Amino acid sequence: MARIGLFFGSNTGKTRKVAKMIKKRFDDDTLADPLNVNRTSAADFAGYSHLILGTPTLGEGLLPGLSADCENESWEEFLPQIEGLDFTGKTVAIFGLGDQVGYADEFLDAMGELHEFFSERGATMVGEWPTTGYEFTHSEAVVDGKFVGLALDLDNQSNLTEERLGAWLRQIAPAFELPL
């Protein structure tokens, strides 16, 4: 089994695409294949000591799930399944996708929601990201002036995705013992 689990929630497939971009950089012993949270169990998820998690923010700041008009279950339905788990001793990094132009008042709010969920359950959170280079009015994913994870906007800044992803992976490498 790989040392690091890579899980995502998605609606349009963009978050899955980024998860695949991450996976391409690592071998199978280091990083598991990306897996949609609607295709895993709480036990499989909890089996990893290191987790990289991805989510888009949908509509007015929602996690992907049925109430956000997704076709399939996602983070909204999976989080209650792991609500009672203790993540103390686990390291978690989050990447989020959002639209800073169309949804400037709730840019990456779902990433903030995931961060809060895992923080409250004892996880060591890594991978904060600067807010410079983005134009938005409000985000629940900003704590102490930084995003709680990698902020990606494939709608308006797709040309920066590879560069941002590479820099973020280098940043979290020590906490994840990544061979970069």
Side-chain angles (χ1 to χ4, degrees), residues 40-61:
T40 193
S41 69
D44 288 342
F45 189 88
Y48 292 97
S49 61
H50 294 77
L51 296 162
I52 297 176
L53 309 175
T55 188
T57 296
L58 302 178
E60 310 256 328

Side-chain angles (χ1 to χ4, degrees), residues 3-14:
R3 293 185 306 103
I4 302 167
L6 176 57
F7 297 91
F8 65 92
S10 189
N11 186 41
T12 63
K14 290 179 183 176

